[in-house]
Every structure is written in structure tokens, then in C-alpha cells.
Amino acid sequence: MANPRYSDWSSDPESTTHGSHSSVERIVWTEDDDNNQIQQNKTSFAWTSFFKYCTVGSLVGGIGLAIILTFWLTSKTTATGTLIVTTSSPNSSSSSSVSASFVTAWNTPSATTLSSLSTAQLVQAEVHQQAPLQLVQVDQQAVLQVVQARVHRHQHQQALLQQAVQLARHQQHQQQLQQHLVLVSNNLRWNQTGQIVAGTTIQGSSANQLNNPSCLYIDNNNTLYICDQNNNRIQKWIQGAITGVTVAGDSTGNQGSTSTLLNNPMDLTFDNNGFMYVADSNNNRVQRFAPGSTSGTTVAGTTSYSSALTGLNRPSAIDIDNNSNLYILDMNNKRLVEWGPNATIGTLLISDHTLNNGYDILLVSDSSNQIYISTQLNRVIYLWTFGASAPGMTLQTVNDSQNNLNNPEGMVLDSYGNLYVADRNNNRVVMYCANSTVGIVVAEDNNSVPSLQKPVALAFDSDLNLYVVTGNNGQVVKLSRI
């Protein structure tokens, strides 16, 4: 027998010695049982081998099928899809969407492709196609251009909207300002019966008299400076005084061309440093006087008339800006010239035959290149831009029975931008409200005393009281604001 068989088990002497009462059941084999066991083992080995071969075959077949499917998928024709990109402006709560068609293969995108989608700033992307949803490759530059174009368009629309809002606000502000100015202008009133503050009812050369005065300047202290033209002097008149003090020219009225004499002074102004400038008309020059000095220095022109830019021919009006640039109406040369500080030659700003017999000039307060010019013979006021060949605006019409200006001379602006004109031959003062081309009469001669006949110059004091110089009567009349 190959293996010993036992019919029963006896007690283990060693186990008995140790007092163990456990016993193990032993299986008793017979010869028939042994043959059955061998047959069962053969059958089990056959089935095991069969399953092993099937499993290996399945794995090999699956791998082959996967390879075939892979080649089939990679060689599949491309499909067209639609990419919907949603963008959001960083400065806006709104979002914009843009669609773009593309052609792509049904393969898996690389990490670089997925990174490019982030670089293009794609917020959301959906691909719609008939095939199952697949990750797709997108041309980075094309999508970036589409997104950027959309973002730029959105930003441009936002900028246009902001500009429109700002323009609307500006227009509303301008409209409110205009309404305010009109309201203020409508409420500007002056007593039509004035009082004489300089000169007498009789013209003369005494300290308390004037002779054909042509200009008026009032400083911040409400002190009057008057061009006493036919007396060839400048008179300073302190408020409330009954006589004037000569601050330039001869006090007795003698004319001359020396540094201390004048000949028919027609206009004057002051710079920010307190220097006084006088248009010494018949001497064809502009004289500058330091504060407290009666000796002048020629700053434009010579004592002889000239049409060259180094000379002048009967200057009738002057004005000065904050940079001490001097503007001169060169009447007989029919031009406007500018002389800078310490200049030896003038710069031509306007030259036109319509400036024939021009009387006064007035710089526009809110502009660096515009000026008002009054002309006696043309009977109009021009608003002229430096260098222009023609005036930008002409003021002539008046809302009155005498509906046109007649020999306008002196002018003045108030703090609201309203323009006032001495309408000499109509014996009245006309106001043109800011941005208006039709004047209204604010003061006129009513045959009362004092007379407002032949007004030639105007000025305001700090309380907006209106002062009118009457040429024929040789007086300065104050009209109190009411």
C-alpha cells in the first residue's frame, strides 16, 4: 500500500500522560475511496485549464479590439461644432456671450490645449454636436480674438454710455446756468435818476471839471480813473471827492509828447502789479506809469504814426491779460495787435477794413483768444477770434423801438458775463445777456437831471452800481442798483 491506513486511533500515551482529554477524529481510507479521489482530481485539472485558456484568449481579443477601435476613432472624419463663450467685463456686472463655429477631431485634448482655454479667458464653454459630448481642441488665437473683440466692443459701449451721461449732465448744467443767468439778468435794475460823481454841468480844465472824457476805470477800492481827453490828462477821483487829482499828463491841460505829457488819451487799464497803461492816441503810443509815478515809459509804438508792426496810428483802446500781454486797437491801421511784456514789435491778431473807426475793445473773460470790438461807423459790436478772417458773432439788434445800435462806443462786462454797451447816438445803455444776440435797454436819457445824453464809457463798482460817462456834458453819472 502506498500510504499506511489505520482502522482506528488509539490514545496518545504522551497526551494521556499530560492528562489531556481531547481526541482527534481520523478519516479511515479504503481502496475504493482512493480511486475516486484520483478521478476527481483529473476532472478538476481539466476544467481549470479550460478556464485559463478562455481568460487569456479574452484578454488578447480585448486588447486587439481596443487597438482596432483606437485606430478607427483616430481616423474618424472631423465634426463641426459650435462654441459658446461667455465673457464678463471686470468693470461691469453684465456679461456677454459670443458663438463661434469650429472643426475638431474626436480625440482627447492635451494639457496644453486645456491650458490655452484658460489663457483665452473662457468663462464658460459648451460644445453642441450630434456626436456624444467630447473634450475639444480650440484654436487659442482665434478664440482669444473673438473674446477680445467682444470685450472691447462692450467696453466701447460702456465708454459711449458714460460720455452720453456726462454730456447730458453738462447740458443740464449749462441749461440751469443759462436759466440762472437769465433770471439774474432779468432782476438787474438800476435807478434811472442818477447822481454826478465827477465833473460838473460845465466842461472845463479845473480840478473839478472834465473836458470830453472818453474812458473810465474803477479799481477794487471804487476809485475812478478818467481819461480827460481834451484836457490831455488822467484824473483820479476818490469816491465821494468833489475834485480830481492828475496822475498822468499836465494838470492844466497842456499837451505834449514827453514822458510826462499826453496828447488826447483815449483809454487806460491796469495790470496785476498796479502799473497803469494809457493809449496816448495822438502821440501814436502806449505809455506805462509805475504806481505813484507821473512819468511814463513807452511800451508800444513811437511818437510818429506808422503802419509797420513797430508802430501805431492813433490807438483808440487797450486791454491787458493776466500775463501782461497788451492788446491795442490800432484804429487808423484798422487792426488789432498784441505786444508782449518788453516787446519791441507787435503781433498782428486781426486786420480788417470793418475795424475802420473802431472805438473800444474788451477781452472775453473766459477765453484766451476772443475779444469784443465796438465800431462807430459800422454801428455794431463784433465778437472776434484772434486770427480769424471774419467775426464769429455780430451784435446789433436791440429789443426796443430803436431796434439797432447807433454809434456804439464804450463797453463793460459784469460778473455774470453780460455785456453792456454805451449806445451813444441813441442816448442809452444796452445790455446783451450772456449768449444772447438781442439787447435790452437798461438805462436811457429821460430828459432829467443829470443827463445821460451821448454816453461814451461805462464801468461797475464792487456793488454793481453802474457808472456812465457822458461826453457832451463832461460828467460821470452813477446809477445805483435797485
Side-chain angles (χ1 to χ4, degrees):
M1 296 178 59
N3 294 308
R5 291 178 295 175
Y6 296 91
S7 60
D8 59 3
W9 290 88
S10 61
S11 300
D12 187 347
E14 187 173 347
S15 299
T16 305
T17 303
H18 289 85
S20 171
H21 299 284
S22 63
S23 53
V24 179
E25 182 179 0
R26 301 296 181 100
I27 301 175
V28 178
W29 297 88
T30 64
E31 187 174 355
D32 292 336
D33 294 334
D34 200 15
N35 293 330
N36 291 336
Q37 180 68 30
I38 293 172
Q39 185 66 31
Q40 289 177 356
N41 289 339
K42 290 180 179 180
T43 303
S44 175
F45 176 78
W47 281 108
T48 302
S49 299
F50 174 78
F51 282 118
K52 287 181 178 180
Y53 288 124
C54 288
T55 302
V56 171
S58 298
L59 289 174
V60 172
I63 293 172
L65 180 61
I67 294 173
I68 293 172
L69 288 176
T70 300
F71 279 106
W72 179 78
L73 288 173
T74 55
S75 62
K76 186 67 175 176
T77 57
T78 57
T80 301
T82 302
L83 177 66
I84 303 176
V85 181
T86 301
T87 64
S88 178
S89 174
N91 296 326
S92 172
S93 61
S94 62
S95 61
S96 303
S97 298
V98 61
S99 299
S101 296
F102 61 90
V103 179
T104 179
W106 292 355
N107 59 339
T108 303
S110 64
T112 303
T113 303
L114 295 176
S115 175
S116 70
L117 292 175
S118 175
T119 304
Q121 300 178 354
L122 305 179
V123 180
Q124 295 177 354
E126 295 179 359
V127 178
H128 300 277
Q129 53 189 14
Q130 294 180 354
L133 183 64
Q134 300 288 336
L135 291 175
V136 298
Q137 288 183 343
V138 180
D139 185 89
Q140 176 183 354
Q141 189 63 28
V143 175
L144 182 60
Q145 290 176 352
V146 171
V147 173
Q148 286 179 340
R150 185 63 179 176
V151 171
H152 291 165
R153 179 181 175 186
H154 177 71
Q155 292 175 343
H156 179 64
Q157 291 174 343
Q158 291 287 356
L160 290 178
L161 179 60
Q162 291 178 357
Q163 291 176 0
V165 171
Q166 292 176 354
L167 178 60
R169 289 176 177 174
H170 176 72
Q171 290 176 342
Q172 182 181 17
H173 174 72
Q174 290 296 107
Q175 184 178 10
Q176 292 174 346
L177 179 61
Q178 184 63 27
Q179 291 174 349
H180 173 71
L181 292 176
V182 170
L183 179 62
V184 170
S185 299
N186 290 336
N187 291 329
L188 289 174
R189 296 288 185 271
W190 291 269
N191 196 323
Q192 297 300 296
T193 301
Q195 65 180 108
I196 299 174
V197 294
T200 64
T201 57
I202 301 175
Q203 299 194 67
S205 59
S206 299
N208 66 338
Q209 293 178 311
L210 300 171
N211 189 356
N212 192 23
S214 60
C215 80
L216 177 63
Y217 183 98
I218 301 179
D219 66 14
N220 294 331
N221 296 320
N222 293 334
T223 298
L224 280 63
Y225 293 83
I226 306 165
C227 294
D228 193 6
Q229 184 177 192
N230 287 0
N231 281 326
N232 305 301
R233 64 189 183 185
I234 304 299
Q235 295 293 92
K236 175 181 176 182
W237 220 290
I238 298 175
Q239 191 175 41
I242 59 174
T243 60
V245 176
T246 302
V247 292
D250 183 63
S251 60
T252 62
N254 293 323
Q255 67 180 29
S257 59
T258 64
S259 60
T260 57
L261 296 176
L262 301 171
N263 190 351
N264 281 97
M266 291 188 65
D267 199 10
L268 69 86
T269 191
F270 283 83
D271 66 16
N272 293 331
N273 297 316
F275 286 82
M276 182 175 66
Y277 298 76
V278 178
D280 192 10
S281 183
N282 284 358
N283 279 327
N284 307 298
R285 65 185 182 181
V286 175
Q287 296 290 91
R288 181 177 66 191
F289 295 86
S293 175
T294 57
S295 178
T297 300
T298 301
V299 294
T302 64
T303 55
S304 300
Y305 67 86
S306 173
S307 60
L309 286 175
T310 54
L312 301 169
N313 189 350
R314 202 162 187 266
S316 60
I318 56 175
D319 204 349
I320 197 166
D321 64 19
N322 292 330
N323 297 317
S324 296
N325 296 307
L326 193 63
Y327 301 86
I328 307 169
L329 181 59
D330 195 6
M331 183 170 61
N332 284 359
N333 281 325
K334 303 178 183 66
R335 66 190 184 188
L336 178 76
V337 291
E338 175 187 0
W339 288 66
N342 303 316
T344 58
I345 187 172
T347 300
L348 182 65
L349 299 179
I350 302 171
S351 179
D352 196 90
H353 69 279
T354 58
L355 300 185
N356 182 36
N357 211 22
Y359 189 87
D360 196 15
I361 60 174
L362 189 61
L363 290 169
V364 178
S365 56
D366 60 350
S367 174
S368 62
N369 65 341
Q370 289 184 310
I371 196 167
Y372 289 105
I373 304 175
S374 66
T375 61
Q376 295 171 297
L377 295 183
N378 293 330
R379 302 179 179 182
V380 297
I381 305 294
Y382 294 127
L383 176 59
W384 214 304
T385 300
F386 300 157
S389 59
M393 184 171 64
T394 299
L395 303 177
Q396 184 179 27
T397 305
V398 181
N399 186 18
D400 192 57
S401 57
Q402 298 291 333
N403 59 6
N404 288 305
L405 298 175
N406 190 352
N407 196 13
E409 295 195 354
M411 300 177 293
V412 69
L413 286 164
D414 66 16
S415 55
Y416 304 104
N418 302 313
L419 177 69
Y420 299 78
V421 180
D423 191 11
R424 177 170 180 162
N425 286 358
N426 282 324
N427 302 309
R428 64 189 182 186
V429 177
V430 175
M431 175 179 71
Y432 287 89
C433 294
N435 302 319
S436 175
T437 58
V438 179
I440 59 175
V441 177
V442 296
E444 59 185 332
D445 183 67
N446 55 13
N447 296 319
S448 62
V449 177
S451 173
L452 292 182
Q453 288 187 358
K454 308 301 178 184
V456 297
L458 306 171
F460 286 106
D461 65 15
S462 58
D463 295 320
L464 211 60
N465 297 307
L466 179 60
Y467 293 74
V468 181
V469 177
T470 58
N472 284 7
N473 297 321
Q475 302 170 342
V476 178
V477 178
K478 175 183 176 182
L479 301 177
S480 299
R481 183 183 176 186
I482 56 176

